[in-house]
Amino acid sequence: MASKLVYVLNGPNLNRLGKREPEIYGSQTLDDIAAMLAERGEALGCAIEMRQSNHEGDLVDWLHEAQDEGAHAVLLNAGAYTHTSVALLDAIRSISVPVIEVHLSNPHTREPFRHTSWVGQAAKGTIAGFGAKGYLLALEAAAGL
């Protein structure tokens, strides 16, 4: 069986997981999440392409690349860019690959400025508030598309 390619894109400050506000984001690192996804991805027939950048343009480029490489889906935790980036909204709208928005915390229970998601306006769906497990839930959803 051919693997379904799933890009997992992570935005600013997610390289600090495990150190940054663990009471909000948990104690697992991005490497921990990558390992969980690789293991679950194998069982689901998905190949994981995991990336992180603190730069908005990298995320835009990788969304385009996901389209060009024939990815099955993209899991996107855009971090703070979720609430500010029309560029990511436009990039998601410019591709046909389904994008699933992922958040470790639930933005709707946090500061009011986090209640608006530009990413969510173009995403296939959103999974939020389940910590690192949210990535696994998003991968399950992506595998079923």
Coordinates of all heavy atoms in Angstrom, one line a residue, residues 23-123:
E23 N 1.9 24.9 31.4 CA 0.6 24.8 32.0 C -0.5 25.1 30.9 O -1.6 24.7 31.0 CB 0.4 25.8 33.1 CG 0.5 27.3 32.7 CD 1.9 27.9 32.5 OE1 2.9 27.1 32.6 OE2 2.0 29.1 32.2
I24 N -0.1 25.7 29.8 CA -1.0 25.9 28.6 C -0.7 24.9 27.5 O -1.6 24.3 27.0 CB -0.8 27.3 28.1 CG1 -1.2 28.4 29.1 CG2 -1.6 27.5 26.8 CD1 -0.9 29.8 28.7
Y25 N 0.6 24.7 27.2 CA 0.9 23.9 26.0 C 1.4 22.5 26.3 O 1.6 21.7 25.4 CB 2.0 24.6 25.2 CG 1.5 26.0 24.8 CD1 2.1 27.1 25.3 CD2 0.6 26.1 23.8 CE1 1.6 28.4 24.9 CE2 0.1 27.4 23.4 CZ 0.6 28.5 24.0 OH 0.2 29.7 23.6
G26 N 1.5 22.1 27.6 CA 1.9 20.8 28.0 C 3.5 20.7 28.0 O 4.2 21.6 27.8
S27 N 3.9 19.5 28.4 CA 5.3 19.2 28.6 C 6.0 18.5 27.5 O 7.2 18.3 27.5 CB 5.5 18.5 30.0 OG 4.8 17.2 29.9
Q28 N 5.2 18.0 26.5 CA 5.8 17.3 25.4 C 6.4 18.3 24.4 O 6.0 19.4 24.2 CB 4.7 16.5 24.7 CG 4.2 15.3 25.6 CD 3.1 14.5 24.9 OE1 2.1 15.0 24.7 NE2 3.4 13.3 24.6
T29 N 7.6 17.8 23.9 CA 8.3 18.6 22.9 C 7.8 18.3 21.5 O 7.0 17.4 21.3 CB 9.8 18.3 23.0 OG1 10.0 17.0 22.5 CG2 10.4 18.5 24.4
L30 N 8.2 19.2 20.6 CA 7.8 18.9 19.2 C 8.4 17.6 18.7 O 7.8 16.9 17.9 CB 8.3 20.1 18.3 CG 7.5 20.3 17.0 CD1 6.0 20.5 17.3 CD2 8.0 21.6 16.3
D31 N 9.6 17.2 19.2 CA 10.2 15.9 18.8 C 9.3 14.8 19.4 O 9.2 13.8 18.7 CB 11.6 15.8 19.4 CG 12.6 16.7 18.6 OD1 12.3 17.1 17.4 OD2 13.7 16.9 19.1
D32 N 8.8 15.0 20.6 CA 7.9 13.9 21.1 C 6.7 13.8 20.2 O 6.2 12.6 19.9 CB 7.4 14.3 22.5 CG 8.5 14.4 23.6 OD1 9.5 13.7 23.4 OD2 8.3 15.1 24.6
I33 N 6.1 14.9 19.8 CA 4.9 14.8 18.9 C 5.3 14.2 17.6 O 4.5 13.4 17.1 CB 4.3 16.3 18.7 CG1 3.8 16.7 20.1 CG2 3.3 16.3 17.7 CD1 3.4 18.2 20.1
A34 N 6.4 14.5 17.0 CA 6.9 13.9 15.8 C 7.0 12.4 15.9 O 6.6 11.7 15.0 CB 8.2 14.5 15.3
A35 N 7.5 12.0 17.0 CA 7.6 10.5 17.2 C 6.3 9.8 17.3 O 6.1 8.8 16.7 CB 8.5 10.2 18.5
M36 N 5.4 10.5 18.0 CA 4.0 9.9 18.1 C 3.3 9.8 16.7 O 2.7 8.9 16.4 CB 3.1 10.8 19.0 CG 3.5 10.7 20.5 SD 2.4 11.7 21.6 CE 1.5 12.8 20.5
L37 N 3.5 10.9 16.0 CA 2.9 11.0 14.6 C 3.5 9.9 13.7 O 2.8 9.3 12.9 CB 3.0 12.4 14.0 CG 2.1 13.4 14.6 CD1 2.5 14.8 14.1 CD2 0.6 13.1 14.3
A38 N 4.8 9.8 13.8 CA 5.5 8.8 12.9 C 5.0 7.4 13.2 O 4.7 6.6 12.3 CB 7.0 8.9 13.1
E39 N 4.8 7.1 14.5 CA 4.4 5.7 14.8 C 2.9 5.5 14.4 O 2.6 4.5 13.8 CB 4.5 5.6 16.4 CG 4.0 4.2 16.8 CD 4.2 4.0 18.3 OE1 5.0 4.7 19.0 OE2 3.5 3.1 18.9
R40 N 2.1 6.5 14.7 CA 0.6 6.3 14.3 C 0.5 6.4 12.8 O -0.4 5.7 12.2 CB -0.2 7.4 15.0 CG -1.7 7.3 14.8 CD -2.2 6.0 15.5 NE -3.5 5.8 15.2 CZ -4.0 4.6 14.7 NH1 -3.2 3.6 14.5 NH2 -5.3 4.5 14.4
G41 N 1.3 7.3 12.2 CA 1.2 7.4 10.7 C 1.5 6.1 10.0 O 0.9 5.7 9.1
E42 N 2.5 5.4 10.5 CA 2.9 4.1 9.9 C 1.7 3.1 10.0 O 1.3 2.5 9.0 CB 4.1 3.5 10.7 CG 4.6 2.3 10.0 CD 5.9 1.8 10.7 OE1 6.7 2.6 11.1 OE2 6.1 0.5 10.7
A43 N 1.0 3.1 11.1 CA -0.2 2.2 11.3 C -1.3 2.6 10.4 O -2.1 1.8 10.0 CB -0.7 2.2 12.7
L44 N -1.4 3.9 10.1 CA -2.5 4.4 9.2 C -2.1 4.5 7.7 O -2.9 4.9 6.9 CB -2.9 5.9 9.7 CG -3.5 6.0 11.0 CD1 -3.6 7.4 11.4 CD2 -4.9 5.3 11.0
G45 N -0.9 4.1 7.4 CA -0.4 4.2 6.0 C -0.1 5.6 5.6 O -0.3 6.0 4.4
C46 N 0.4 6.4 6.5 CA 0.7 7.8 6.2 C 2.2 8.0 6.5 O 2.7 7.6 7.5 CB -0.1 8.8 7.1 SG -1.9 8.7 6.9
A47 N 2.8 8.8 5.6 CA 4.2 9.2 5.7 C 4.1 10.7 6.2 O 3.4 11.5 5.6 CB 4.9 9.1 4.4
I48 N 4.8 10.9 7.3 CA 4.8 12.3 7.9 C 6.0 13.1 7.5 O 7.1 12.7 7.6 CB 4.8 12.1 9.5 CG1 3.6 11.2 9.9 CG2 4.7 13.5 10.1 CD1 2.2 11.6 9.5
E49 N 5.7 14.3 7.1 CA 6.7 15.3 6.8 C 6.5 16.4 7.8 O 5.6 17.3 7.6 CB 6.5 15.8 5.3 CG 7.5 16.9 4.9 CD 9.0 16.4 4.9 OE1 9.2 15.2 4.5 OE2 9.9 17.2 5.2
M50 N 7.3 16.4 8.9 CA 7.2 17.3 10.0 C 8.1 18.5 9.9 O 9.3 18.3 9.6 CB 7.5 16.5 11.3 CG 7.3 17.3 12.5 SD 5.6 17.2 13.1 CE 5.8 17.6 14.8
R51 N 7.6 19.7 10.0 CA 8.4 20.9 9.9 C 8.0 22.0 10.9 O 6.8 22.0 11.3 CB 8.4 21.5 8.5 CG 8.9 20.5 7.4 CD 8.8 21.1 6.1 NE 9.2 20.1 5.0 CZ 9.2 20.4 3.8 NH1 8.8 21.6 3.3 NH2 9.6 19.4 2.9
Q52 N 8.9 22.9 11.2 CA 8.6 24.0 12.1 C 9.4 25.2 11.6 O 10.6 25.1 11.3 CB 9.0 23.7 13.6 CG 8.6 24.7 14.6 CD 9.5 25.9 14.7 OE1 10.7 25.8 14.5 NE2 9.0 27.1 15.0
S53 N 8.7 26.4 11.7 CA 9.5 27.6 11.4 C 8.8 28.8 12.1 O 7.6 28.8 12.4 CB 9.4 27.9 9.9 OG 10.1 29.2 9.6
N54 N 9.7 29.7 12.5 CA 9.2 30.9 13.1 C 8.9 32.0 12.1 O 8.6 33.1 12.5 CB 10.2 31.4 14.1 CG 10.4 30.5 15.3 OD1 9.4 30.0 15.8 ND2 11.6 30.3 15.7
H55 N 9.0 31.6 10.8 CA 8.8 32.6 9.7 C 7.6 32.3 8.9 O 7.5 31.2 8.3 CB 10.1 32.6 8.9 CG 11.3 32.8 9.7 ND1 11.7 34.1 10.1 CD2 12.3 32.0 10.2 CE1 12.8 34.0 10.9 NE2 13.2 32.7 10.9
E56 N 6.8 33.3 8.7 CA 5.5 33.1 8.0 C 5.7 32.6 6.6 O 5.0 31.8 6.1 CB 4.8 34.5 8.1 CG 3.4 34.5 7.4 CD 2.8 35.9 7.5 OE1 3.5 36.9 7.5 OE2 1.6 36.0 7.6
G57 N 6.7 33.2 5.9 CA 6.9 32.9 4.5 C 7.2 31.4 4.3 O 6.9 30.8 3.3
D58 N 8.0 30.8 5.3 CA 8.3 29.4 5.2 C 7.0 28.6 5.2 O 6.8 27.6 4.4 CB 9.2 28.9 6.4 CG 10.6 29.5 6.3 OD1 11.0 29.9 5.2 OD2 11.2 29.4 7.3
L59 N 6.1 28.9 6.1 CA 4.8 28.2 6.1 C 4.0 28.3 4.8 O 3.4 27.3 4.3 CB 4.0 28.7 7.3 CG 4.6 28.5 8.7 CD1 3.8 29.2 9.8 CD2 4.7 27.0 9.0
V60 N 4.0 29.5 4.2 CA 3.3 29.7 3.0 C 4.0 28.8 1.9 O 3.3 28.1 1.1 CB 3.4 31.2 2.5 CG1 2.9 31.4 1.1 CG2 2.5 32.0 3.5
D61 N 5.3 28.8 1.8 CA 6.0 28.0 0.9 C 5.8 26.5 1.0 O 5.6 25.8 0.1 CB 7.6 28.3 1.0 CG 8.0 29.6 0.5 OD1 7.2 30.3 -0.3 OD2 9.1 30.1 0.8
W62 N 5.7 26.1 2.3 CA 5.5 24.7 2.5 C 4.0 24.3 2.2 O 3.8 23.1 1.8 CB 5.8 24.3 4.0 CG 7.3 24.5 4.3 CD1 8.3 24.4 3.4 CD2 7.8 24.7 5.6 NE1 9.5 24.6 4.1 CE2 9.2 24.7 5.5 CE3 7.3 24.8 6.9 CZ2 10.1 24.9 6.5 CZ3 8.1 25.0 7.9 CH2 9.5 25.0 7.8
L63 N 3.1 25.1 2.4 CA 1.7 24.8 1.9 C 1.7 24.7 0.4 O 1.1 23.7 -0.1 CB 0.8 25.9 2.3 CG 0.4 25.9 3.8 CD1 -0.2 27.3 4.2 CD2 -0.6 24.8 4.2
H64 N 2.4 25.5 -0.3 CA 2.5 25.4 -1.8 C 3.2 24.1 -2.1 O 2.7 23.4 -3.1 CB 3.2 26.6 -2.4 CG 2.6 27.9 -2.2 ND1 3.2 29.1 -2.4 CD2 1.3 28.2 -1.8 CE1 2.4 30.1 -2.2 NE2 1.3 29.6 -1.8
E65 N 4.2 23.8 -1.4 CA 5.0 22.6 -1.7 C 4.1 21.3 -1.5 O 4.2 20.3 -2.2 CB 6.2 22.5 -0.8 CG 7.1 21.3 -1.0 CD 8.2 21.2 0.0 OE1 9.0 22.2 0.2 OE2 8.4 20.1 0.6
A66 N 3.3 21.4 -0.4 CA 2.4 20.2 -0.2 C 1.5 19.9 -1.4 O 1.3 18.8 -1.8 CB 1.6 20.5 1.1
Q67 N 1.0 21.0 -2.0 CA 0.2 20.8 -3.2 C 1.1 20.3 -4.3 O 0.7 19.3 -5.0 CB -0.3 22.2 -3.6 CG -1.1 22.2 -4.9 CD -2.4 21.6 -4.9 OE1 -3.1 21.7 -3.9 NE2 -2.8 20.9 -5.9
D68 N 2.2 20.8 -4.5 CA 3.1 20.4 -5.6 C 3.6 19.0 -5.5 O 3.9 18.3 -6.5 CB 4.3 21.4 -5.8 CG 3.9 22.8 -6.2 OD1 2.7 23.0 -6.6 OD2 4.7 23.7 -6.0
E69 N 3.8 18.5 -4.3 CA 4.3 17.2 -4.0 C 3.1 16.2 -3.9 O 3.4 15.0 -3.7 CB 5.1 17.2 -2.7 CG 6.4 18.0 -2.8 CD 7.3 17.4 -3.9 OE1 7.5 16.2 -4.0 OE2 7.9 18.2 -4.6
G70 N 1.9 16.6 -4.1 CA 0.8 15.7 -4.1 C 0.4 15.2 -2.7 O 0.0 14.0 -2.6
A71 N 0.6 16.0 -1.7 CA 0.3 15.6 -0.3 C -1.2 15.2 -0.2 O -2.0 15.8 -0.9 CB 0.7 16.7 0.7
H72 N -1.5 14.3 0.7 CA -2.8 13.9 1.0 C -3.5 14.9 1.8 O -4.7 15.1 1.7 CB -2.8 12.5 1.6 CG -4.2 12.0 1.9 ND1 -5.0 11.5 1.0 CD2 -4.8 11.9 3.1 CE1 -6.1 11.1 1.5 NE2 -6.1 11.3 2.8
A73 N -2.8 15.5 2.8 CA -3.4 16.5 3.7 C -2.2 17.2 4.4 O -1.1 16.8 4.3 CB -4.2 15.8 4.8
V74 N -2.6 18.3 5.0 CA -1.7 19.1 5.8 C -2.3 19.3 7.2 O -3.5 19.7 7.3 CB -1.4 20.5 5.2 CG1 -0.6 21.4 6.1 CG2 -0.8 20.4 3.8
L75 N -1.5 19.1 8.2 CA -1.9 19.4 9.6 C -1.1 20.7 9.9 O 0.1 20.7 9.7 CB -1.5 18.4 10.6 CG -1.9 16.9 10.3 CD1 -1.6 16.0 11.5 CD2 -3.4 16.8 9.9
L76 N -1.8 21.8 10.3 CA -1.2 23.1 10.4 C -1.5 23.6 11.8 O -2.7 23.9 12.1 CB -1.7 24.1 9.4 CG -1.2 25.5 9.5 CD1 0.3 25.6 9.4 CD2 -1.8 26.4 8.4
N77 N -0.4 23.8 12.6 CA -0.5 24.6 13.8 C 0.3 25.8 13.6 O 1.5 25.8 13.6 CB 0.1 23.8 15.0 CG -0.1 24.6 16.3 OD1 -0.3 25.8 16.3 ND2 0.1 23.9 17.4
A78 N -0.4 26.9 13.2 CA 0.2 28.1 12.8 C 0.6 29.0 14.0 O 1.1 30.1 13.8 CB -0.7 28.9 11.8
G79 N 0.4 28.5 15.2 CA 0.7 29.3 16.3 C 0.1 30.7 16.3 O -1.1 30.8 15.8
A80 N 0.8 31.7 16.6 CA 0.2 33.1 16.7 C -0.2 33.6 15.3 O -1.1 34.4 15.2 CB 1.2 34.0 17.3
Y81 N 0.4 33.0 14.2 CA 0.0 33.4 12.9 C -1.5 33.0 12.6 O -2.1 33.6 11.7 CB 0.9 32.8 11.8 CG 2.3 33.3 11.8 CD1 3.4 32.5 11.6 CD2 2.5 34.7 11.9 CE1 4.6 33.0 11.6 CE2 3.8 35.2 11.9 CZ 4.9 34.3 11.7 OH 6.2 34.8 11.7
T82 N -2.0 32.1 13.3 CA -3.5 31.8 13.2 C -4.3 33.0 13.2 O -5.3 33.1 12.5 CB -3.9 30.8 14.4 OG1 -3.1 29.7 14.3 CG2 -5.3 30.5 14.4
H83 N -4.0 33.9 14.1 CA -4.8 35.1 14.4 C -4.4 36.3 13.6 O -5.1 37.4 13.8 CB -4.8 35.4 15.9 CG -4.8 34.1 16.7 ND1 -5.9 33.3 16.8 CD2 -3.9 33.5 17.4 CE1 -5.7 32.3 17.6 NE2 -4.4 32.3 17.9
T84 N -3.4 36.2 12.8 CA -2.8 37.5 12.2 C -2.6 37.3 10.7 O -2.4 38.3 10.0 CB -1.5 37.9 12.8 OG1 -0.5 36.9 12.6 CG2 -1.7 38.2 14.3
S85 N -2.5 36.1 10.1 CA -1.9 35.9 8.8 C -3.0 35.7 7.7 O -3.5 34.6 7.5 CB -1.0 34.7 8.8 OG -0.4 34.6 7.5
V86 N -3.2 36.8 7.0 CA -4.0 36.7 5.8 C -3.2 35.9 4.7 O -3.8 35.3 3.9 CB -4.4 38.1 5.3 CG1 -5.2 38.0 4.0 CG2 -5.3 38.8 6.4
A87 N -1.9 36.0 4.8 CA -1.0 35.3 3.8 C -1.3 33.8 4.0 O -1.3 33.1 2.9 CB 0.4 35.6 4.1
L88 N -1.4 33.3 5.2 CA -1.7 31.8 5.3 C -3.1 31.5 4.9 O -3.3 30.5 4.2 CB -1.5 31.4 6.8 CG -0.1 31.3 7.3 CD1 0.0 31.0 8.7 CD2 0.7 30.3 6.4
L89 N -4.1 32.4 5.1 CA -5.4 32.2 4.6 C -5.4 32.0 3.1 O -5.9 31.1 2.5 CB -6.3 33.3 5.1 CG -7.7 33.4 4.4 CD1 -8.6 32.3 4.8 CD2 -8.3 34.8 4.7
D90 N -4.7 33.0 2.5 CA -4.6 33.0 1.0 C -3.9 31.7 0.5 O -4.3 31.1 -0.5 CB -3.9 34.2 0.5 CG -4.8 35.5 0.6 OD1 -6.0 35.3 0.9 OD2 -4.3 36.6 0.5
A91 N -2.8 31.3 1.2 CA -2.1 30.1 0.8 C -2.9 28.9 0.8 O -2.9 28.0 -0.1 CB -0.8 30.0 1.6
I92 N -3.7 28.8 1.9 CA -4.6 27.6 2.1 C -5.6 27.6 1.0 O -5.9 26.6 0.4 CB -5.2 27.6 3.5 CG1 -4.2 27.4 4.5 CG2 -6.3 26.5 3.6 CD1 -4.6 27.6 6.0
R93 N -6.2 28.8 0.7 CA -7.2 28.9 -0.4 C -6.6 28.6 -1.8 O -7.4 28.2 -2.7 CB -7.9 30.2 -0.3 CG -8.8 30.4 0.8 CD -9.5 31.7 0.8 NE -10.6 31.7 1.8 CZ -11.1 32.9 2.3 NH1 -10.7 34.0 1.8 NH2 -12.1 32.8 3.2
S94 N -5.3 28.8 -1.9 CA -4.7 28.6 -3.2 C -4.4 27.1 -3.5 O -3.9 26.8 -4.7 CB -3.4 29.4 -3.3 OG -2.3 28.8 -2.6
I95 N -4.6 26.2 -2.6 CA -4.2 24.8 -2.8 C -5.5 24.0 -2.6 O -6.5 24.4 -2.0 CB -3.1 24.3 -1.9 CG1 -3.5 24.4 -0.4 CG2 -1.8 25.1 -2.1 CD1 -2.5 23.8 0.6
S96 N -5.5 22.8 -3.2 CA -6.6 21.9 -3.1 C -6.4 20.8 -2.0 O -7.3 20.1 -1.6 CB -6.9 21.2 -4.4 OG -5.8 20.4 -4.8
V97 N -5.2 20.7 -1.5 CA -4.9 19.8 -0.4 C -5.7 20.2 0.9 O -5.6 21.4 1.3 CB -3.4 19.8 -0.1 CG1 -3.1 18.9 1.1 CG2 -2.6 19.4 -1.3
P98 N -6.4 19.3 1.5 CA -7.1 19.7 2.7 C -6.2 20.0 3.8 O -5.2 19.3 4.1 CB -8.0 18.5 3.0 CG -7.5 17.3 2.2 CD -6.7 17.9 1.1
V99 N -6.5 21.1 4.5 CA -5.7 21.5 5.7 C -6.5 21.4 6.9 O -7.7 21.8 7.0 CB -5.3 23.0 5.5 CG1 -4.6 23.5 6.8 CG2 -4.4 23.1 4.3
I100 N -6.0 20.7 7.9 CA -6.6 20.6 9.2 C -5.8 21.5 10.2 O -4.6 21.3 10.4 CB -6.7 19.2 9.7 CG1 -7.5 18.3 8.7 CG2 -7.3 19.1 11.1 CD1 -7.4 16.8 9.0
E101 N -6.6 22.4 10.8 CA -6.0 23.3 11.8 C -5.9 22.6 13.1 O -6.8 22.0 13.6 CB -6.9 24.6 11.9 CG -6.4 25.6 12.9 CD -7.4 26.7 13.0 OE1 -8.7 26.5 12.8 OE2 -7.0 27.9 13.3
V102 N -4.7 22.7 13.8 CA -4.5 22.1 15.1 C -4.0 23.1 16.1 O -3.2 24.0 15.8 CB -3.4 21.0 14.9 CG1 -3.1 20.3 16.3 CG2 -3.8 19.9 13.9
H103 N -4.6 23.0 17.3 CA -4.1 23.9 18.4 C -4.0 23.0 19.7 O -4.9 22.2 19.9 CB -5.1 25.0 18.7 CG -5.1 26.0 17.6 ND1 -4.1 26.9 17.3 CD2 -6.1 26.2 16.6 CE1 -4.5 27.6 16.2 NE2 -5.7 27.2 15.8
L104 N -2.9 23.2 20.4 CA -2.7 22.5 21.6 C -3.7 22.9 22.7 O -4.3 22.1 23.4 CB -1.3 22.7 22.1 CG -0.2 22.1 21.3 CD1 1.1 22.7 21.5 CD2 -0.1 20.6 21.5
S105 N -3.9 24.2 22.8 CA -4.9 24.8 23.7 C -6.1 25.1 23.0 O -6.2 25.0 21.7 CB -4.3 26.1 24.4 OG -4.2 27.1 23.4
N106 N -7.2 25.5 23.7 CA -8.4 26.0 23.0 C -8.4 27.5 22.9 O -8.6 28.1 24.0 CB -9.6 25.5 23.8 CG -10.9 25.9 23.2 OD1 -10.9 26.7 22.2 ND2 -12.0 25.3 23.6
P107 N -8.2 28.0 21.8 CA -8.1 29.5 21.6 C -9.3 30.2 22.1 O -9.2 31.4 22.6 CB -7.8 29.7 20.1 CG -7.3 28.4 19.6 CD -7.9 27.4 20.5
H108 N -10.5 29.6 22.1 CA -11.7 30.2 22.5 C -11.9 30.4 24.0 O -12.7 31.1 24.4 CB -12.9 29.5 21.9 CG -12.9 29.5 20.4 ND1 -13.1 30.6 19.6 CD2 -12.6 28.5 19.5 CE1 -13.0 30.3 18.4 NE2 -12.7 29.1 18.3
T109 N -11.0 29.8 24.7 CA -11.0 29.9 26.2 C -9.9 30.9 26.7 O -9.7 31.0 27.9 CB -10.9 28.6 26.9 OG1 -9.6 28.0 26.6 CG2 -12.0 27.6 26.5
R110 N -9.2 31.5 25.7 CA -8.1 32.3 26.0 C -8.4 33.8 25.7 O -9.5 34.2 25.6 CB -6.9 31.8 25.3 CG -6.6 30.4 25.7 CD -5.3 29.8 25.2 NE -4.2 30.6 25.6 CZ -3.0 30.6 24.9 NH1 -2.8 29.8 23.9 NH2 -2.0 31.4 25.3
E111 N -7.4 34.6 25.5 CA -7.6 36.0 25.3 C -8.5 36.3 24.1 O -8.4 35.5 23.1 CB -6.2 36.7 25.0 CG -5.2 36.5 26.2 CD -4.3 35.4 25.9 OE1 -4.6 34.4 25.2 OE2 -3.2 35.4 26.5
P112 N -9.3 37.3 24.1 CA -10.2 37.6 23.0 C -9.5 37.7 21.6 O -10.1 37.3 20.6 CB -10.8 38.9 23.4 CG -10.8 39.0 24.9 CD -9.5 38.3 25.2
F113 N -8.3 38.2 21.5 CA -7.6 38.3 20.2 C -7.4 36.9 19.6 O -7.2 36.8 18.4 CB -6.3 39.1 20.3 CG -5.2 38.5 21.0 CD1 -4.3 37.6 20.3 CD2 -4.9 38.7 22.3 CE1 -3.2 37.0 20.9 CE2 -3.8 38.1 22.9 CZ -3.0 37.2 22.2
R114 N -7.4 35.9 20.4 CA -7.1 34.5 19.9 C -8.4 33.9 19.4 O -8.4 32.7 18.9 CB -6.5 33.6 21.0 CG -5.1 34.1 21.4 CD -4.5 33.1 22.4 NE -3.4 33.6 23.0 CZ -2.1 33.6 22.6 NH1 -1.8 33.1 21.4 NH2 -1.1 34.1 23.3
H115 N -9.6 34.5 19.5 CA -10.8 33.9 19.1 C -11.0 33.9 17.6 O -11.9 33.2 17.1 CB -12.0 34.6 19.8 CG -11.9 34.5 21.3 ND1 -12.9 35.0 22.1 CD2 -11.1 33.9 22.2 CE1 -12.6 34.8 23.4 NE2 -11.5 34.1 23.4
T116 N -10.3 34.8 16.9 CA -10.4 34.8 15.4 C -9.3 34.0 14.8 O -8.1 34.2 15.1 CB -10.4 36.3 14.9 OG1 -11.4 37.0 15.5 CG2 -10.4 36.3 13.4
S117 N -9.7 33.1 13.9 CA -8.7 32.3 13.2 C -8.8 32.5 11.7 O -9.8 32.2 11.1 CB -8.9 30.8 13.5 OG -8.1 30.0 12.6
W118 N -7.8 33.2 11.2 CA -7.7 33.3 9.7 C -7.5 31.9 9.1 O -8.1 31.6 8.0 CB -6.6 34.3 9.3 CG -6.8 35.7 9.7 CD1 -6.3 36.3 10.8 CD2 -7.7 36.6 9.1 NE1 -6.8 37.6 10.8 CE2 -7.7 37.8 9.8 CE3 -8.6 36.5 7.9 CZ2 -8.5 38.9 9.4 CZ3 -9.3 37.6 7.6 CH2 -9.3 38.8 8.3
V119 N -6.7 31.1 9.7 CA -6.4 29.8 9.2 C -7.7 29.0 9.1 O -8.1 28.3 8.1 CB -5.4 29.0 10.0 CG1 -5.3 27.6 9.7 CG2 -4.0 29.7 9.9
G120 N -8.5 29.1 10.2 CA -9.8 28.3 10.3 C -10.8 28.7 9.2 O -11.7 27.9 8.9
Q121 N -10.7 29.9 8.7 CA -11.6 30.3 7.7 C -11.5 29.6 6.4 O -12.4 29.5 5.5 CB -11.5 31.8 7.5 CG -12.0 32.6 8.7 CD -11.9 34.1 8.5 OE1 -12.1 34.6 7.4 NE2 -11.5 34.8 9.5
A122 N -10.3 28.9 6.2 CA -10.0 28.1 5.0 C -9.8 26.7 5.2 O -9.7 25.9 4.3 CB -8.9 28.7 4.2
A123 N -9.6 26.3 6.5 CA -9.3 24.9 6.8 C -10.5 24.0 6.7 O -11.6 24.4 6.8 CB -8.8 24.8 8.3

